[in-house]
Amino acid sequence: MTVLSKSSAAVVTATLPAVQAHGEAITSRFYQRMFAAHPELLELFNRGNQATGRQQAALAAAVVAYAEHLTGRSTVSWAPILDRIAHKHASLGIAATQYPIVGRHLLAAVGEVLGDAVTPEVAAAWDEVYWLLACELVAREARLYTVAGLPLQADAGWRPWRIVEKIPETADVVSLILAPADGDPAPTFAPGQYVSVAVDLGGGQGRQIRQYSLSGRPGAATWRITVKRLRGGAGAAGGSAGSPVPDGAVSSQLHGRTAVGDVLRLSPAFGEVSSIGELGVPLLLVSAGIGVTPAMAALAQLSTVAPAREVVLVHADRSAAAHPLRHELPELQQRMPNLSVHLWYEDATDGELPDLKATIHSGWIDPARIPFAPDTYAHLCGPVPFMAQVRGELLLRGLPAERIVYEVFGPGMLAG
Ligand SMILES: Cc1cc2nc3c(=O)[nH]c(=O)nc-3n(C[C@H](O)[C@H](O)[C@H](O)COP(=O)(O)OP(=O)(O)OC[C@H]3O[C@@H](n4cnc5c(N)ncnc54)[C@H](O)[C@@H]3O)c2cc1C
Ligand code: HEM
């Protein structure tokens, strides 16, 4: 177990409220400082998350929560949080040599924001917190790289992949079928894992990286990602007539400005959240919108390795027409006799697929009506409020927290 020295523990306990209160100011200042000193890192971090403040919030929350953990003020289990960050870092190819850069600018930002309150003792105590956390992450990341057979250096394992097919799925969703550009077969992956995709935005805007869950069958000769285009404008989430939000940078590029034959750089597959769990128990897959992608990888895998498994698929969407990969369900159901499908469409007027046996509800999902067996393994993926609502109801109905996993398509985790 990681332990903070006694003298630092007292100082961290005394200064935690101030750091907590100014957490996002500190991390905002940290990013400004770090990007000024290392402009090359601007292409590593997600500009959308910077603009909306989500990455600052995620980093501040992680450091503060870890300090609470070290000083015994929290009973939160740290392993899942460290695993999530380490897998995200590994998929971005973060190297141990980059930790001193983050540490230096983070601690300098603490000093700038808190001013005279940061005595040498306070600085030393927070330095210790940072490095205890950094060492835990570096160790986890080293293990992930080693298990994947990758060198311990930045960008480990990234390689060029060619788009071999581009399939429109719905008005806003497209699937890209990708094959290694060197002609090697695609490596396999575990259902629920994702890849980082680097895209050159053109027009002097540089490169950006985003994660996409692998939505095809593990072991296939190609990988598939299924991407929802995020539209901006005044009506989009967070926008207004005075300050419309921009289109999603990478999803727009993948939709509008990539074609079959183009080459993208992809990381190896990482991701700690399994969308199949243990094969011997019933599985509940609950998704909304584009959150269906890890569930589709699970179904593709199970339809070949455990077709008789009892699986309940619950999916919520605006309508059948907006439901990505829906056309694959009838064939999966033919191969999986114990797959039952429950769909919630806000607009259920455009009916069923002829061969699909599904219960179709109209309106917003009612989690109280989700069927599941007592020993079910549940995997959730969708917008955070949707998952919080479903998880809350599953807990209320007696499913233990450790049997419910979830994937957030952005920084952060569900509270509690
Ligand atoms: C593990 C994981 C798996 C994922 N799997 C999938 C998947 O299978 N399919 C999929 O489609 N997505 C998936 N995602 C999400 C994906 O990684 C991207 O976040 C998504 O495609 C949006 O990226 P973007 O570059 O298009 O949008 P960004 O440019 O990152 O913008 C994101 C949002 O922020 C808003 N924004 C950007 N800049 C500003 C600004 N200046 N002011 C206000 N608002 C702003 C945009 O309008 C947009 O709504 C996954 C994410 C994770 C972490
Ligand atoms: C102790 C040190 C660090 C902590 C506590 C930390 C914490 C985090 C957290 C909480 C996230 C969000 C994870 C999620 O998706 O939920 C994250 C993402 C990320 N981290 Fe770190 N990190 C650290 C070090 C580093 C280093 C050294 C680098 C490399 C320079 C780095 C680069 C990134 C990037 C690029 C992302 C994704 C950003 C995004 O999506 O906007 N981190 N980190």
Side-chain angles (χ1 to χ4, degrees), residues 51 194 210-213 226-228 246 248-251 290 293 409:
Y194 53 83
R210 299 290 183 268
Q211 288 70 43
Y212 293 99
S213 299
T226 302
V227 179
K228 177 175 178 179
V250 171
S251 60
I290 195 61
T293 49
F409 277 4

Side-chain angles (χ1 to χ4, degrees), residues 46-49 51-52 54 84 88 194 208 210-215 225-232 236-238 244-252 290 293-294 407-411:
N46 176 326
R47 279 180 218 150
N49 289 341
T52 56
R54 278 180 296 197
R84 178 175 167 94
K88 179 68 81 70
Y194 53 83
Q208 279 282 273
R210 299 290 183 268
Q211 288 70 43
Y212 293 99
S213 299
L214 290 161
S215 64
I225 59 171
T226 302
V227 179
K228 177 175 178 179
R229 172 183 216 144
L230 290 193
R231 294 183 189 273
V245 297
D247 287 340
V250 171
S251 60
S252 305
I290 195 61
T293 49
E407 186 68 82
V408 181
F409 277 4

Side-chain angles (χ1 to χ4, degrees), residues 2-41:
T2 311
V3 183
L4 194 60
S5 66
K6 218 168 159 188
S7 56
S8 290
V11 175
V12 169
T13 303
T15 49
L16 191 52
V19 172
Q20 199 160 19
H22 297 92
E24 288 183 35
I26 292 168
T27 47
S28 298
R29 188 63 200 118
F30 150 72
Y31 283 114
Q32 287 164 3
R33 286 184 58 101
M34 185 174 73
F35 292 144
H38 292 275
E40 74 283 1
L41 291 180

